[in-house]
Each structure stands twice: as C-alpha cells, then as structure tokens.
Amino acid sequence: MDDPLVIASLLPPRVLMDAQNLRWTLCATDRCFRNPLTSAFFTYVKVLPISRGDGIYQKGMDMAISKLNKGEWVHIFPEGSRSRDDGKTMGSPKRGIGRLILDSDEVPIVIPFVHTGMQDIMPIGAKVPRIGKIVTVLIGDPIDLEDITNMENSNVSRGDLYDAVSSRIGSNLQRLKTKVDALAVEQSLESQDCVQQATDPAAGIFQQVDWESLGMDDYVRTEEYSSLASPRKEQLPAEVCSKKVEQEIRRDQTSIDKSLRSRIRDYMDSTDLMGFAARGMFMNSRIMVENFANGERVSPLKLWNNFYRSVYDDNTPSMYAATG
C-alpha cells in the first residue's frame, strides 16, 4: 500500500494520470509476481521484478538502470523490505541502490522522502487497509553525491563506492525520519487539543445537570467526565481543527453516550427504570421537545417509549431531552 497511496498523495492529478511519466518501482517476485494474473497486473502498473537472494547484478536491477538511462523516474525502498517494528526504526539501505546510481549513464537526481502512519493503515498481517488514519510525509532536498562519484577513477573498489552511496542515502533518510516522527507527534497533540476544546463545553453541561433531582445521583459519576473539562494553558485557533478531528469528536460523544446507557443498565432494573420515566411523565402533562427540523410536540408516552428504547437498544439513536 505504501507505493500507490503515498505516491498518489504527493502528485497532482495531471501527473498521477500520466502513465508515460509515472514512476517505475521494484517488487519481489515472490510477492508481486506469484501467478500470471498478479504478474500481468503489476507489469501494467510499471513494477519491475526483483528476485530475493540473486544479488545486485540481476535482470531486474539492469532493467531499473535502463529506465534511469532514459531519464525516467524509479522509486526505490532502500531497505528492501518493510519495517518489522511498526516503523519505529529504519533499516540500513541495501547496496543495490548504490549500483543503481553509480552504474547509470549519468548520476540521477536522488530525492529522499519518508513517511509515518502507513503502519496503522496496513499493519503486518492485515488483509484490508484501514481508513481514518493520518499519514505524515516529509520530502528532503536532493542528496549531493558528487564527492563520491568523483572517486570512481580512484583505487576505491566498486563495492565500497556502492556502500558509500547507500550510507549517504541512509544518513539523509534517518535525519528525515527524526523530523517526520516529530511532526507526527505534533499533529497528534494538535488533534487532541482540538477535541479538548470542542468537548469542554459539553463536559461542563454534563456536570451541571442535577442528577440528584432525577434520582440518578448514585448511578452517574460526573467526576469520570471531569477530565474532559480540565483547564488548558493555551487555546488553539479554531481553523486548526480539521474535519478529521470533528469525526474524532463524534466518536468520543458516542462513547460517552454508550457509557452512560451501560451504567444505567448495570444499576437500574426494569422496575426502577419505569418508575423514573413515570415520574417525568406525570410531572409534565405535555412536553415540548425541540426538533431541529420542524419543532414538534411529543406526548409523554411517546417520550417515555423513546427513552426506554435508547437505554435498552444500542442501535437506537440517542435522544437528549430534559424534563422540568
């Protein structure tokens, strides 16, 4: 998933849809070319086959070099495999990337970029990508390899030059990884701050409800929700909160609603519940419930029925109404 999704996020549509100038990349034969169907698919999407264990002087590497000689773009994963610790560390680049660069007719432009968050979208062992996750991508400056290429006519062995190029690329990627991890943490904290700002008013209203007058002071502990309204030193501007954060807020509100209903089920049997609802019904002969669509008058019996369903049926949309 890394190559199609991350690459797609970096490119404007006009480039992404231009098959002639789109990237080439490499993939192991035991992963992408296991049968005629997958082989045909990955060949059409400009993937070159690489055989694990066949070394750097194999046909797939020669094909990649030929693409570079034509001035085309070759996208490489220098580690040669995916992270095995959820992206916490980055492995050393393989020697083969040094060969791709030094054995080309002209030294290609090498642009490093790193990303974090894809491990949450497609964890090891997952069959289907997960949605709703955040991926942070950081693109670095082109890597200067002139000092290494100038050593090609010296007595330094070809293998050592390959290793020097791979090491230089690895160092640049490690620096970018440190920065992208810091950016990801910063974005996560900003999202939490936005959620905090949005839930503070709701938490305050929740604590102001006179649960004792409703006969529920023993069943609802408002201190469990007081952490939502903790004091904050600095307020972020409203525009920082994105649509993704709004989705997180809705998930949090749903979680609180289910927690309250679960607590009611745990501490109130059916008789207690009916008695509680009956008090509200007979205290008010008619109750006006604000309906955001058209403001309708609801009878106590209907309100009682809706309340009962909201408590005992998790699939019923929750209904917020206060009786006076």
Side-chain angles (χ1 to χ4, degrees):
M1 289 291 117
D2 289 14
D3 180 279
L5 296 184
V6 175
I7 293 298
S9 71
L10 298 178
L11 300 178
R14 61 180 178 80
V15 177
L16 188 63
M17 302 306 293
D18 184 0
Q20 188 68 26
N21 292 317
L22 196 57
R23 63 94 190 95
W24 290 90
T25 191
L26 307 176
C27 185
T29 54
D30 60 354
R31 178 173 294 273
C32 298
F33 298 87
R34 290 179 291 185
N35 56 62
L37 181 61
T38 59
S39 296
F41 172 79
F42 285 107
T43 298
Y44 279 120
V45 295
K46 304 179 74 169
V47 177
L48 303 174
I50 287 289
S51 298
R52 300 181 192 271
D54 284 0
I56 63 176
Y57 297 100
Q58 59 174 286
K59 184 178 179 180
M61 295 290 290
D62 294 338
M63 294 170 64
I65 292 174
S66 70
K67 302 301 180 185
L68 291 173
N69 290 338
K70 296 177 183 178
E72 300 189 47
W73 167 22
V74 178
H75 175 214
I76 297 294
F77 294 90
E79 298 171 84
S81 181
R82 64 182 302 179
S83 171
R84 295 293 167 180
D85 60 359
D86 292 333
K88 295 183 178 67
T89 59
M90 181 180 295
S92 301
K94 303 296 184 182
R95 174 181 279 192
I97 192 173
R99 190 206 164 197
L100 289 179
I101 294 170
L102 294 180
D103 287 7
S104 300
D105 294 342
E106 294 183 11
V107 177
I109 299 173
V110 182
I111 301 179
F113 68 93
V114 297
H115 55 83
T116 184
M118 285 300 297
Q119 67 274 9
D120 298 325
I121 292 179
M122 196 72 172
I124 293 178
K127 301 298 183 183
V128 179
R130 301 173 181 176
I131 62 175
K133 307 297 182 181
I134 296 178
V135 176
T136 305
V137 185
L138 184 61
I139 305 173
D141 295 324
I143 299 176
D144 183 10
L145 300 169
E146 184 177 2
D147 58 326
I148 299 178
T149 57
N150 290 338
M151 298 171 60
E152 288 192 87
N153 296 325
S154 63
N155 295 326
V156 180
S157 69
R158 200 69 179 168
D160 289 342
L161 289 175
Y162 293 160
D163 291 339
V165 170
S166 299
S167 178
R168 178 73 57 81
I169 292 174
S171 298
N172 278 265
L173 291 174
Q174 289 288 358
R175 285 194 290 271
L176 286 178
K177 176 170 174 52
T178 301
K179 293 180 179 180
V180 79
D181 287 342
L183 283 174
V185 171
E186 181 179 343
Q187 289 177 345
S188 176
L189 292 176
E190 287 181 355
S191 297
Q192 293 176 12
D193 286 341
C194 290
V195 172
Q196 181 74 38
Q197 289 183 34
T199 55
D200 280 352
I205 294 173
F206 186 89
Q207 295 179 70
Q208 292 175 16
V209 173
D210 188 359
W211 296 105
E212 184 176 0
S213 65
L214 298 175
M216 297 182 64
D217 54 318
D218 292 333
Y219 312 125
V220 180
R221 297 191 181 96
T222 56
E223 63 268 16
E224 292 183 4
Y225 305 97
S226 61
S227 60
L228 295 174
S230 57
R232 305 180 61 249
K233 297 180 180 179
E234 181 181 356
Q235 295 287 332
L236 293 176
E239 59 268 18
V240 174
C241 299
S242 65
K243 291 184 178 179
K244 289 184 178 295
V245 177
E246 293 176 3
Q247 295 174 357
E248 294 179 19
I249 296 171
R250 287 194 292 270
R251 286 197 296 268
D252 288 345
Q253 291 173 336
T254 302
S255 176
I256 292 175
D257 178 45
K258 288 185 177 180
S259 174
L260 175 58
R261 282 187 273 160
S262 175
R263 188 173 297 280
I264 292 175
R265 285 196 297 267
D266 290 341
Y267 292 98
M268 297 180 71
D269 59 28
S270 58
T271 304
D272 293 334
L273 178 61
M274 293 174 65
F276 167 72
R279 286 200 301 273
M281 183 179 72
F282 290 112
M283 285 171 62
N284 301 273
S285 58
R286 302 293 288 177
I287 300 174
M288 174 64 75
V289 178
E290 285 294 326
N291 186 308
F292 291 102
N294 55 7
E296 61 177 348
R297 187 173 295 275
V298 181
S299 69
L301 186 59
K302 183 177 180 180
L303 183 62
W304 183 12
N305 179 60
N306 287 340
F307 175 77
Y308 183 90
R309 291 175 57 200
S310 71
V311 172
Y312 282 93
D313 185 1
D314 283 341
N315 296 323
T316 302
S318 60
M319 183 175 179
Y320 297 94
T323 60

